């Protein structure tokens, strides 16, 4: 089963995406390492705060559009197409992509207002520069939107190229500005320029597949907006759940403690590349299997392969982090951040449920259950906030790591139970004539 999943992913360019994401993380962490070693600890804490808040609130500019558009494009795509037309209805694909981009532009304004308000209210320095970092994160959601379009047609290589360009520009410009002593302002400027470069390149690639029609079909979006809205609400709840600890750590235990926590979290985050790559390749297949009654029986097979692969990969990631945490933190950051190693080891225990939850939450969206996804992430957010408020005063930043584990376990129970109930309602797949099976394999 695992080998079959790997073959599926390889055929869709997952290897390129994995390599690109890993190299991109190396480039990103090289810049973060330089910032940690160059900036005063309080300034570095400010910068990591901006990254976390920007990542969290920039999701308002997405609001579920990119995942919804990917699902709908996957259902429109022509399986195996190597030249235009790539979609059964090119006009519908152009309206879907362009309308989503136009709506995203409006949502981006709301995201920037929220980021500005949070930065203004929080007890951090470098406020104007932090708002610029938030702006770059909003631009990043537009780059992700186009990446999701590439995923829908099974070409992850193009996403990989655009992301590498953005990361490389960010590292080169950011490192140069740090050397010139520009500080947090230099990092903010570098990230914004890098996102613009990635966006320009990615949009040019997108035109090979379809020309976006920027005027929204409001009748379509009025009928359909409930689903991306539910997805968006769920994503926002999930992101806030991931990063709300950054809002709580500073007033409870200080900016320096936030720097210690974020050093660990930034080393933990690369482990999330792997489930992201798996779902980038398999979510279109889940969407297709979940949409067509004739292929419902195949949903068990695709989902079973996905979950088995994620469970094994999650267990492996946890083991690796437990072993390398102490020497890795010591090598990269020195004695000043020695406490980050213990936090990283605690976060390692979140890998297994987190990997599985990647598959379960995507499965809920693939089978048109985004409202359940939103509800479950809301429950998880309440659990996360309650756990952080209770544990951070007792355990310091280690309490935030324990809260992350508890949140993922709760989400696993909720999503797992819902998917099992859904699958129980699907009739068992009957054996098919080989000719009919080949026909089904060719269906979008």
């Amino acid at each position: 089963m695992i080998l079959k999943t790997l073959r599926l992913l390889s055929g869709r360019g997952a290897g390129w995406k994995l390599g690109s994401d890993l190299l991109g993380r190396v480039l990103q962490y090289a810049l973060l390492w330089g910032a940690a070693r160059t900036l005063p600890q309080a300034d570095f804490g400010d910068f990591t705060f901006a990254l976390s808040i920007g990542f969290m609130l920039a999701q308002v500019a997405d609001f579920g559009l990119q995942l919804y558009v990917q699902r709908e494009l996957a259902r429109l795509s022509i399986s195996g197409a190597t030249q235009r037309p790539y979609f059964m209805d090119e006009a519908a694909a152009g309206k879907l992509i362009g309308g989503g981009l136009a709506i995203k532009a409006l949502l981006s304004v709301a995201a920037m207002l929220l980021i500005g308000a949070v930065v203004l209210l929080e007890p951090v320095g470098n406020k104007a520069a932090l708002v610029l970092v938030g702006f770059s994160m909003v631009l990043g959601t537009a780059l992700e939107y186009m990446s999701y379009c590439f995923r829908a047609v099974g070409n992850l290589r193009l996403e990989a190229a655009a992301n590498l360009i953005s990361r490389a520009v960010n590292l080169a410009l950011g490192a140069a500005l740090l050397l010139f002593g520009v500080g947090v302002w230099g990092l903010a400027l570098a990230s914004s320029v890098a996102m613009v470069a990635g966006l320009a390149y990615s949009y040019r690639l997108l035109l090979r597949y379809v020309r976006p029609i920027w005027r929204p079909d409001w009748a379509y979006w009025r009928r359909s907006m409930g689903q991306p809205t539910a997805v968006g609400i769920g994503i926002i709840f999930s992101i806030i759940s991931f990063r709300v600890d950054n809002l709580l750590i500073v007033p409870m235990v200080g900016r320096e403690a936030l720097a210690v926590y974020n050093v660990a979290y930034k080393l933990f985050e690369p482990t999330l590349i792997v489930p992201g790559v798996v779902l980038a390749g398999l979510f279109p297949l889940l969407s297709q299997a979940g949409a067509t009654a004739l292929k419902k029986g195949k949903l068990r097979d695709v989902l079973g392969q996905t979950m088995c692969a994620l469970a094994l990969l999650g267990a492996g990631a946890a083991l690796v982090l437990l072993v390398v945490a102490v020497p890795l933190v010591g090598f990269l950051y020195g004695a000043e951040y020695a406490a980050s190693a213990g936090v990283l080891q605690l976060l390692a225990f979140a890998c297994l449920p987190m990997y599985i939850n990647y598959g379960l939450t995507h499965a809920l969206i693939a089978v048109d259950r985004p409202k359940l996804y939103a509800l479950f992430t809301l429950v998880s957010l309440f659990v996360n906030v309650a756990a952080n408020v209770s544990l951070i005063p007792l355990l310091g930043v280690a309490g935030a790591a324990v809260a992350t584990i508890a949140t993922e376990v709760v989400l696993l129970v909720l999503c797992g139970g819902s998917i099992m109930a859904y699958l129980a309602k699907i009739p068992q797949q009957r054996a098919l004539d080989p000719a009919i099976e080949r026909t089904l394999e060719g269906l979008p």
Side-chain angles (χ1 to χ4, degrees), residues 245-277:
D245 42 23
N246 275 248
L247 295 175
L248 300 172
I249 287 172
V250 173
M252 287 184 178
V253 287
R255 293 161 67 193
E256 288 78 8
L258 179 62
V260 169
Y261 180 73
N262 276 327
V263 161
Y265 207 94
K266 292 301 178 183
L267 291 173
F268 169 71
E269 280 183 341
T271 65
L272 305 184
I273 292 174
V274 176
V277 170

PDB file of all heavy atoms in Angstrom, residues 245-277:
ATOM      1  N   ASP A 245      -0.461  30.587  21.063  1.00  0.00           N
ATOM      2  CA  ASP A 245       0.500  30.595  22.164  1.00  0.00           C
ATOM      3  C   ASP A 245       1.447  31.793  22.079  1.00  0.00           C
ATOM      4  O   ASP A 245       1.934  32.292  23.094  1.00  0.00           O
ATOM      5  CB  ASP A 245       1.302  29.291  22.209  1.00  0.00           C
ATOM      6  CG  ASP A 245       1.739  28.802  20.840  1.00  0.00           C
ATOM      7  OD1 ASP A 245       1.828  29.636  19.905  1.00  0.00           O
ATOM      8  OD2 ASP A 245       1.978  27.591  20.696  1.00  0.00           O
ATOM      9  N   ASN A 246       1.694  32.298  20.853  1.00  0.00           N
ATOM     10  CA  ASN A 246       2.552  33.471  20.712  1.00  0.00           C
ATOM     11  C   ASN A 246       1.921  34.710  21.335  1.00  0.00           C
ATOM     12  O   ASN A 246       2.632  35.604  21.797  1.00  0.00           O
ATOM     13  CB  ASN A 246       2.848  33.734  19.230  1.00  0.00           C
ATOM     14  CG  ASN A 246       4.013  32.925  18.713  1.00  0.00           C
ATOM     15  OD1 ASN A 246       5.066  33.447  18.385  1.00  0.00           O
ATOM     16  ND2 ASN A 246       3.826  31.612  18.643  1.00  0.00           N
ATOM     17  N   LEU A 247       0.595  34.776  21.304  1.00  0.00           N
ATOM     18  CA  LEU A 247      -0.093  35.900  21.940  1.00  0.00           C
ATOM     19  C   LEU A 247      -0.067  35.786  23.461  1.00  0.00           C
ATOM     20  O   LEU A 247      -0.094  36.796  24.160  1.00  0.00           O
ATOM     21  CB  LEU A 247      -1.542  35.967  21.468  1.00  0.00           C
ATOM     22  CG  LEU A 247      -1.787  36.276  19.991  1.00  0.00           C
ATOM     23  CD1 LEU A 247      -3.277  36.187  19.681  1.00  0.00           C
ATOM     24  CD2 LEU A 247      -1.253  37.655  19.633  1.00  0.00           C
ATOM     25  N   LEU A 248      -0.016  34.562  23.964  1.00  0.00           N
ATOM     26  CA  LEU A 248      -0.114  34.334  25.407  1.00  0.00           C
ATOM     27  C   LEU A 248       1.238  34.306  26.109  1.00  0.00           C
ATOM     28  O   LEU A 248       1.353  34.684  27.273  1.00  0.00           O
ATOM     29  CB  LEU A 248      -0.852  33.012  25.661  1.00  0.00           C
ATOM     30  CG  LEU A 248      -2.286  32.946  25.111  1.00  0.00           C
ATOM     31  CD1 LEU A 248      -2.850  31.541  25.249  1.00  0.00           C
ATOM     32  CD2 LEU A 248      -3.170  33.960  25.817  1.00  0.00           C
ATOM     33  N   ILE A 249       2.271  33.875  25.400  1.00  0.00           N
ATOM     34  CA  ILE A 249       3.589  33.722  26.027  1.00  0.00           C
ATOM     35  C   ILE A 249       4.163  35.075  26.431  1.00  0.00           C
ATOM     36  O   ILE A 249       4.707  35.239  27.532  1.00  0.00           O
ATOM     37  CB  ILE A 249       4.550  32.963  25.082  1.00  0.00           C
ATOM     38  CG1 ILE A 249       4.168  31.484  25.015  1.00  0.00           C
ATOM     39  CG2 ILE A 249       6.000  33.117  25.556  1.00  0.00           C
ATOM     40  CD1 ILE A 249       4.940  30.702  23.973  1.00  0.00           C
ATOM     41  N   VAL A 250       4.075  36.073  25.546  1.00  0.00           N
ATOM     42  CA  VAL A 250       4.697  37.373  25.832  1.00  0.00           C
ATOM     43  C   VAL A 250       4.165  37.999  27.118  1.00  0.00           C
ATOM     44  O   VAL A 250       4.952  38.349  28.014  1.00  0.00           O
ATOM     45  CB  VAL A 250       4.533  38.335  24.637  1.00  0.00           C
ATOM     46  CG1 VAL A 250       5.014  39.731  25.005  1.00  0.00           C
ATOM     47  CG2 VAL A 250       5.306  37.821  23.429  1.00  0.00           C
ATOM     48  N   PRO A 251       2.840  38.164  27.287  1.00  0.00           N
ATOM     49  CA  PRO A 251       2.371  38.780  28.549  1.00  0.00           C
ATOM     50  C   PRO A 251       2.575  37.897  29.767  1.00  0.00           C
ATOM     51  O   PRO A 251       2.669  38.407  30.891  1.00  0.00           O
ATOM     52  CB  PRO A 251       0.875  39.022  28.290  1.00  0.00           C
ATOM     53  CG  PRO A 251       0.505  38.106  27.189  1.00  0.00           C
ATOM     54  CD  PRO A 251       1.725  37.946  26.347  1.00  0.00           C
ATOM     55  N   MET A 252       2.661  36.568  29.585  1.00  0.00           N
ATOM     56  CA  MET A 252       2.797  35.668  30.741  1.00  0.00           C
ATOM     57  C   MET A 252       4.241  35.475  31.181  1.00  0.00           C
ATOM     58  O   MET A 252       4.542  35.489  32.387  1.00  0.00           O
ATOM     59  CB  MET A 252       2.186  34.301  30.413  1.00  0.00           C
ATOM     60  CG  MET A 252       0.669  34.289  30.358  1.00  0.00           C
ATOM     61  SD  MET A 252       0.040  32.602  30.077  1.00  0.00           S
ATOM     62  CE  MET A 252      -1.737  32.913  30.124  1.00  0.00           C
ATOM     63  N   VAL A 253       5.151  35.268  30.207  1.00  0.00           N
ATOM     64  CA  VAL A 253       6.536  34.963  30.590  1.00  0.00           C
ATOM     65  C   VAL A 253       7.581  35.774  29.836  1.00  0.00           C
ATOM     66  O   VAL A 253       8.776  35.561  30.026  1.00  0.00           O
ATOM     67  CB  VAL A 253       6.832  33.445  30.421  1.00  0.00           C
ATOM     68  CG1 VAL A 253       6.143  32.639  31.503  1.00  0.00           C
ATOM     69  CG2 VAL A 253       6.426  32.942  29.051  1.00  0.00           C
ATOM     70  N   GLY A 254       7.174  36.698  28.952  1.00  0.00           N
ATOM     71  CA  GLY A 254       8.124  37.645  28.389  1.00  0.00           C
ATOM     72  C   GLY A 254       8.572  37.359  26.969  1.00  0.00           C
ATOM     73  O   GLY A 254       8.386  36.280  26.422  1.00  0.00           O
ATOM     74  N   ARG A 255       9.192  38.378  26.348  1.00  0.00           N
ATOM     75  CA  ARG A 255       9.640  38.299  24.960  1.00  0.00           C
ATOM     76  C   ARG A 255      10.794  37.321  24.784  1.00  0.00           C
ATOM     77  O   ARG A 255      10.899  36.633  23.769  1.00  0.00           O
ATOM     78  CB  ARG A 255      10.059  39.692  24.482  1.00  0.00           C
ATOM     79  CG  ARG A 255       8.900  40.671  24.375  1.00  0.00           C
ATOM     80  CD  ARG A 255       9.379  42.120  24.352  1.00  0.00           C
ATOM     81  NE  ARG A 255      10.138  42.459  23.156  1.00  0.00           N
ATOM     82  CZ  ARG A 255      10.850  43.570  23.024  1.00  0.00           C
ATOM     83  NH1 ARG A 255      10.919  44.443  24.017  1.00  0.00           N
ATOM     84  NH2 ARG A 255      11.505  43.814  21.903  1.00  0.00           N
ATOM     85  N   GLU A 256      11.701  37.265  25.765  1.00  0.00           N
ATOM     86  CA  GLU A 256      12.826  36.344  25.655  1.00  0.00           C
ATOM     87  C   GLU A 256      12.347  34.896  25.659  1.00  0.00           C
ATOM     88  O   GLU A 256      12.875  34.043  24.928  1.00  0.00           O
ATOM     89  CB  GLU A 256      13.815  36.572  26.803  1.00  0.00           C
ATOM     90  CG  GLU A 256      14.616  37.867  26.691  1.00  0.00           C
ATOM     91  CD  GLU A 256      13.801  39.103  27.096  1.00  0.00           C
ATOM     92  OE1 GLU A 256      12.673  38.946  27.615  1.00  0.00           O
ATOM     93  OE2 GLU A 256      14.306  40.227  26.882  1.00  0.00           O
ATOM     94  N   ALA A 257      11.336  34.599  26.475  1.00  0.00           N
ATOM     95  CA  ALA A 257      10.777  33.248  26.495  1.00  0.00           C
ATOM     96  C   ALA A 257      10.140  32.900  25.150  1.00  0.00           C
ATOM     97  O   ALA A 257      10.213  31.763  24.680  1.00  0.00           O
ATOM     98  CB  ALA A 257       9.740  33.121  27.610  1.00  0.00           C
ATOM     99  N   LEU A 258       9.519  33.895  24.498  1.00  0.00           N
ATOM    100  CA  LEU A 258       8.942  33.668  23.179  1.00  0.00           C
ATOM    101  C   LEU A 258      10.031  33.302  22.175  1.00  0.00           C
ATOM    102  O   LEU A 258       9.838  32.431  21.315  1.00  0.00           O
ATOM    103  CB  LEU A 258       8.199  34.922  22.713  1.00  0.00           C
ATOM    104  CG  LEU A 258       7.567  34.836  21.318  1.00  0.00           C
ATOM    105  CD1 LEU A 258       6.512  33.745  21.268  1.00  0.00           C
ATOM    106  CD2 LEU A 258       6.971  36.183  20.918  1.00  0.00           C
ATOM    107  N   ALA A 259      11.178  33.949  22.268  1.00  0.00           N
ATOM    108  CA  ALA A 259      12.295  33.614  21.377  1.00  0.00           C
ATOM    109  C   ALA A 259      12.734  32.170  21.586  1.00  0.00           C
ATOM    110  O   ALA A 259      12.991  31.437  20.626  1.00  0.00           O
ATOM    111  CB  ALA A 259      13.462  34.570  21.617  1.00  0.00           C
ATOM    112  N   VAL A 260      12.819  31.740  22.853  1.00  0.00           N
ATOM    113  CA  VAL A 260      13.198  30.350  23.163  1.00  0.00           C
ATOM    114  C   VAL A 260      12.182  29.381  22.556  1.00  0.00           C
ATOM    115  O   VAL A 260      12.541  28.371  21.930  1.00  0.00           O
ATOM    116  CB  VAL A 260      13.299  30.146  24.691  1.00  0.00           C
ATOM    117  CG1 VAL A 260      13.412  28.664  25.034  1.00  0.00           C
ATOM    118  CG2 VAL A 260      14.485  30.922  25.244  1.00  0.00           C
ATOM    119  N   TYR A 261      10.905  29.683  22.718  1.00  0.00           N
ATOM    120  CA  TYR A 261       9.852  28.796  22.202  1.00  0.00           C
ATOM    121  C   TYR A 261       9.880  28.735  20.681  1.00  0.00           C
ATOM    122  O   TYR A 261       9.767  27.656  20.075  1.00  0.00           O
ATOM    123  CB  TYR A 261       8.490  29.282  22.678  1.00  0.00           C
ATOM    124  CG  TYR A 261       7.340  28.431  22.194  1.00  0.00           C
ATOM    125  CD1 TYR A 261       7.129  27.164  22.729  1.00  0.00           C
ATOM    126  CD2 TYR A 261       6.478  28.893  21.211  1.00  0.00           C
ATOM    127  CE1 TYR A 261       6.075  26.377  22.288  1.00  0.00           C
ATOM    128  CE2 TYR A 261       5.425  28.115  20.761  1.00  0.00           C
ATOM    129  CZ  TYR A 261       5.225  26.855  21.304  1.00  0.00           C
ATOM    130  OH  TYR A 261       4.189  26.077  20.859  1.00  0.00           O
ATOM    131  N   ASN A 262      10.056  29.887  20.034  1.00  0.00           N
ATOM    132  CA  ASN A 262      10.001  29.919  18.577  1.00  0.00           C
ATOM    133  C   ASN A 262      11.224  29.296  17.922  1.00  0.00           C
ATOM    134  O   ASN A 262      11.141  28.814  16.789  1.00  0.00           O
ATOM    135  CB  ASN A 262       9.785  31.343  18.077  1.00  0.00           C
ATOM    136  CG  ASN A 262       8.319  31.719  18.084  1.00  0.00           C
ATOM    137  OD1 ASN A 262       7.455  30.883  17.862  1.00  0.00           O
ATOM    138  ND2 ASN A 262       8.026  32.982  18.363  1.00  0.00           N
ATOM    139  N   VAL A 263      12.365  29.294  18.606  1.00  0.00           N
ATOM    140  CA  VAL A 263      13.510  28.544  18.092  1.00  0.00           C
ATOM    141  C   VAL A 263      13.140  27.060  17.981  1.00  0.00           C
ATOM    142  O   VAL A 263      13.410  26.395  16.976  1.00  0.00           O
ATOM    143  CB  VAL A 263      14.747  28.738  18.991  1.00  0.00           C
ATOM    144  CG1 VAL A 263      15.776  27.630  18.768  1.00  0.00           C
ATOM    145  CG2 VAL A 263      15.382  30.099  18.709  1.00  0.00           C
ATOM    146  N   ALA A 264      12.494  26.526  19.015  1.00  0.00           N
ATOM    147  CA  ALA A 264      12.058  25.127  18.974  1.00  0.00           C
ATOM    148  C   ALA A 264      10.984  24.913  17.909  1.00  0.00           C
ATOM    149  O   ALA A 264      11.028  23.948  17.148  1.00  0.00           O
ATOM    150  CB  ALA A 264      11.529  24.707  20.353  1.00  0.00           C
ATOM    151  N   TYR A 265      10.026  25.830  17.850  1.00  0.00           N
ATOM    152  CA  TYR A 265       8.908  25.637  16.923  1.00  0.00           C
ATOM    153  C   TYR A 265       9.373  25.745  15.473  1.00  0.00           C
ATOM    154  O   TYR A 265       8.871  25.024  14.596  1.00  0.00           O
ATOM    155  CB  TYR A 265       7.808  26.670  17.196  1.00  0.00           C
ATOM    156  CG  TYR A 265       6.453  26.164  16.788  1.00  0.00           C
ATOM    157  CD1 TYR A 265       5.625  25.533  17.710  1.00  0.00           C
ATOM    158  CD2 TYR A 265       5.998  26.295  15.479  1.00  0.00           C
ATOM    159  CE1 TYR A 265       4.385  25.046  17.338  1.00  0.00           C
ATOM    160  CE2 TYR A 265       4.763  25.807  15.098  1.00  0.00           C
ATOM    161  CZ  TYR A 265       3.964  25.189  16.031  1.00  0.00           C
ATOM    162  OH  TYR A 265       2.745  24.696  15.658  1.00  0.00           O
ATOM    163  N   LYS A 266      10.339  26.619  15.209  1.00  0.00           N
ATOM    164  CA  LYS A 266      10.837  26.746  13.845  1.00  0.00           C
ATOM    165  C   LYS A 266      11.635  25.516  13.416  1.00  0.00           C
ATOM    166  O   LYS A 266      11.765  25.245  12.221  1.00  0.00           O
ATOM    167  CB  LYS A 266      11.705  28.009  13.707  1.00  0.00           C
ATOM    168  CG  LYS A 266      10.917  29.306  13.836  1.00  0.00           C
ATOM    169  CD  LYS A 266       9.833  29.407  12.783  1.00  0.00           C
ATOM    170  CE  LYS A 266       9.016  30.668  12.929  1.00  0.00           C
ATOM    171  NZ  LYS A 266       7.911  30.739  11.942  1.00  0.00           N
ATOM    172  N   LEU A 267      12.169  24.774  14.362  1.00  0.00           N
ATOM    173  CA  LEU A 267      12.811  23.498  14.031  1.00  0.00           C
ATOM    174  C   LEU A 267      11.782  22.375  13.926  1.00  0.00           C
ATOM    175  O   LEU A 267      12.013  21.382  13.237  1.00  0.00           O
ATOM    176  CB  LEU A 267      13.857  23.153  15.099  1.00  0.00           C
ATOM    177  CG  LEU A 267      15.088  24.052  15.125  1.00  0.00           C
ATOM    178  CD1 LEU A 267      15.967  23.727  16.332  1.00  0.00           C
ATOM    179  CD2 LEU A 267      15.888  23.919  13.836  1.00  0.00           C
ATOM    180  N   PHE A 268      10.658  22.529  14.602  1.00  0.00           N
ATOM    181  CA  PHE A 268       9.576  21.547  14.516  1.00  0.00           C
ATOM    182  C   PHE A 268       8.798  21.676  13.206  1.00  0.00           C
ATOM    183  O   PHE A 268       8.374  20.681  12.609  1.00  0.00           O
ATOM    184  CB  PHE A 268       8.634  21.752  15.706  1.00  0.00           C
ATOM    185  CG  PHE A 268       7.346  20.996  15.626  1.00  0.00           C
ATOM    186  CD1 PHE A 268       7.308  19.625  15.776  1.00  0.00           C
ATOM    187  CD2 PHE A 268       6.151  21.673  15.400  1.00  0.00           C
ATOM    188  CE1 PHE A 268       6.110  18.922  15.706  1.00  0.00           C
ATOM    189  CE2 PHE A 268       4.952  20.994  15.331  1.00  0.00           C
ATOM    190  CZ  PHE A 268       4.927  19.610  15.481  1.00  0.00           C
ATOM    191  N   GLU A 269       8.617  22.884  12.728  1.00  0.00           N
ATOM    192  CA  GLU A 269       7.788  23.135  11.541  1.00  0.00           C
ATOM    193  C   GLU A 269       8.209  22.369  10.296  1.00  0.00           C
ATOM    194  O   GLU A 269       7.341  21.945   9.522  1.00  0.00           O
ATOM    195  CB  GLU A 269       7.752  24.635  11.231  1.00  0.00           C
ATOM    196  CG  GLU A 269       6.767  25.402  12.092  1.00  0.00           C
ATOM    197  CD  GLU A 269       6.700  26.870  11.714  1.00  0.00           C
ATOM    198  OE1 GLU A 269       7.656  27.358  11.060  1.00  0.00           O
ATOM    199  OE2 GLU A 269       5.709  27.521  12.067  1.00  0.00           O
ATOM    200  N   PRO A 270       9.518  22.154  10.024  1.00  0.00           N
ATOM    201  CA  PRO A 270       9.872  21.408   8.812  1.00  0.00           C
ATOM    202  C   PRO A 270       9.284  20.005   8.757  1.00  0.00           C
ATOM    203  O   PRO A 270       9.103  19.456   7.669  1.00  0.00           O
ATOM    204  CB  PRO A 270      11.407  21.365   8.859  1.00  0.00           C
ATOM    205  CG  PRO A 270      11.794  22.549   9.649  1.00  0.00           C
ATOM    206  CD  PRO A 270      10.726  22.710  10.679  1.00  0.00           C
ATOM    207  N   THR A 271       8.977  19.408   9.911  1.00  0.00           N
ATOM    208  CA  THR A 271       8.374  18.078   9.877  1.00  0.00           C
ATOM    209  C   THR A 271       7.002  18.116   9.226  1.00  0.00           C
ATOM    210  O   THR A 271       6.511  17.081   8.739  1.00  0.00           O
ATOM    211  CB  THR A 271       8.245  17.503  11.299  1.00  0.00           C
ATOM    212  OG1 THR A 271       7.332  18.307  12.073  1.00  0.00           O
ATOM    213  CG2 THR A 271       9.588  17.467  12.000  1.00  0.00           C
ATOM    214  N   LEU A 272       6.358  19.285   9.200  1.00  0.00           N
ATOM    215  CA  LEU A 272       5.028  19.401   8.610  1.00  0.00           C
ATOM    216  C   LEU A 272       5.077  19.506   7.097  1.00  0.00           C
ATOM    217  O   LEU A 272       4.030  19.489   6.439  1.00  0.00           O
ATOM    218  CB  LEU A 272       4.312  20.627   9.194  1.00  0.00           C
ATOM    219  CG  LEU A 272       4.224  20.669  10.726  1.00  0.00           C
ATOM    220  CD1 LEU A 272       3.423  21.875  11.184  1.00  0.00           C
ATOM    221  CD2 LEU A 272       3.611  19.386  11.267  1.00  0.00           C
ATOM    222  N   ILE A 273       6.285  19.598   6.529  1.00  0.00           N
ATOM    223  CA  ILE A 273       6.413  19.574   5.072  1.00  0.00           C
ATOM    224  C   ILE A 273       5.904  18.256   4.516  1.00  0.00           C
ATOM    225  O   ILE A 273       5.209  18.210   3.494  1.00  0.00           O
ATOM    226  CB  ILE A 273       7.887  19.781   4.661  1.00  0.00           C
ATOM    227  CG1 ILE A 273       8.341  21.200   4.990  1.00  0.00           C
ATOM    228  CG2 ILE A 273       8.083  19.499   3.172  1.00  0.00           C
ATOM    229  CD1 ILE A 273       9.815  21.426   4.754  1.00  0.00           C
ATOM    230  N   VAL A 274       6.240  17.160   5.188  1.00  0.00           N
ATOM    231  CA  VAL A 274       5.949  15.827   4.650  1.00  0.00           C
ATOM    232  C   VAL A 274       4.452  15.582   4.495  1.00  0.00           C
ATOM    233  O   VAL A 274       3.994  15.224   3.404  1.00  0.00           O
ATOM    234  CB  VAL A 274       6.613  14.741   5.524  1.00  0.00           C
ATOM    235  CG1 VAL A 274       6.225  13.347   5.023  1.00  0.00           C
ATOM    236  CG2 VAL A 274       8.124  14.910   5.497  1.00  0.00           C
ATOM    237  N   PRO A 275       3.615  15.758   5.544  1.00  0.00           N
ATOM    238  CA  PRO A 275       2.186  15.559   5.316  1.00  0.00           C
ATOM    239  C   PRO A 275       1.610  16.563   4.325  1.00  0.00           C
ATOM    240  O   PRO A 275       0.662  16.254   3.596  1.00  0.00           O
ATOM    241  CB  PRO A 275       1.570  15.736   6.704  1.00  0.00           C
ATOM    242  CG  PRO A 275       2.552  16.530   7.481  1.00  0.00           C
ATOM    243  CD  PRO A 275       3.891  16.100   6.959  1.00  0.00           C
ATOM    244  N   GLY A 276       2.191  17.761   4.263  1.00  0.00           N
ATOM    245  CA  GLY A 276       1.740  18.736   3.282  1.00  0.00           C
ATOM    246  C   GLY A 276       1.972  18.257   1.860  1.00  0.00           C
ATOM    247  O   GLY A 276       1.111  18.424   0.984  1.00  0.00           O
ATOM    248  N   VAL A 277       3.128  17.647   1.616  1.00  0.00           N
ATOM    249  CA  VAL A 277       3.427  17.108   0.287  1.00  0.00           C
ATOM    250  C   VAL A 277       2.493  15.944  -0.045  1.00  0.00           C
ATOM    251  O   VAL A 277       1.971  15.833  -1.157  1.00  0.00           O
ATOM    252  CB  VAL A 277       4.898  16.655   0.211  1.00  0.00           C
ATOM    253  CG1 VAL A 277       5.159  15.870  -1.069  1.00  0.00           C
ATOM    254  CG2 VAL A 277       5.820  17.867   0.281  1.00  0.00           C
TER     255      VAL A 277
END
